[in-house]
Amino acid sequence: MIGKPHWFKRRKYAGWGVYPATWQGWVYLGLAMGLMAITQVLPFDEAVKIASTFILAMILVLDVLDIMRKMPMDERERIHEAIAERNALWVIIVALAAGTVYQSYISAAAKSFQVDPVIILALVAGLFAKAFTNIYLDKKD
């Protein structure tokens, strides 16, 4: 789309995504952030500011996903990435499950059962994603 893969490097140690590796990458990032900041100072209605910032952010996200898709990876990098993603997912699952247990305990102590449905939804969505991936991979082989 707009950005070029050779302007960026894969983020390995501090989260997901990419970070600028060349001056063009820094200019790209600066322009994207600058456009979003400019929309906030223009004399428009608050709803227009929010909508325009959201649209610009979505364009940035889609472009970064396109850049990541185009970045070359060898087999060793793919395996390392898969292991890191798996380990991150296990930590996320344990944290969500612990949050659910904690919320259940606190709400039971208050005698009104209330657990954040977003946490439950995340756990169930992860379960379905794993199941459907395994079904797809089994049929593919």
Side-chain angles (χ1 to χ4, degrees), residues 10-43:
R10 239 177 238 291
R11 199 176 276 278
K12 289 183 182 182
Y13 308 111
W16 289 267
V18 296
Y19 65 95
T22 65
W23 68 269
Q24 294 97 332
W26 285 106
V27 168
Y28 171 85
L29 186 62
L31 286 173
M33 295 299 122
L35 281 172
M36 284 189 258
I38 287 171
T39 61
Q40 295 303 306
V41 297
L42 291 175

Side-chain angles (χ1 to χ4, degrees), residues 30-129:
L31 286 173
M33 295 299 122
L35 281 172
M36 284 189 258
I38 287 171
T39 61
Q40 295 303 306
V41 297
L42 291 175
F44 293 128
D45 184 40
E46 196 65 29
V48 173
K49 289 180 181 182
I50 291 171
S52 60
T53 303
F54 178 77
I55 290 169
L56 288 171
M58 287 296 95
I59 290 170
L60 179 64
V61 166
L62 291 173
D63 198 33
V64 167
L65 289 174
D66 184 55
I67 290 167
M68 290 175 63
R69 182 183 60 83
K70 291 178 180 175
M71 292 180 94
M73 280 197 331
D74 63 15
E75 188 62 27
R76 183 178 155 275
E77 289 173 322
R78 287 188 195 283
I79 291 170
H80 286 194
E81 184 75 16
I83 291 170
E85 292 291 331
R86 180 204 61 199
N87 292 344
L89 179 62
W90 277 110
V91 170
I92 291 168
I93 289 171
V94 168
L96 287 171
T100 303
V101 169
Y102 174 76
Q103 285 184 348
S104 299
Y105 175 76
I106 294 299
S107 67
K111 294 185 174 44
S112 69
F113 186 75
Q114 192 170 348
V115 177
D116 188 357
V118 174
I119 294 177
I120 303 296
L121 179 66
L123 289 169
V124 172
L127 175 74
F128 281 124

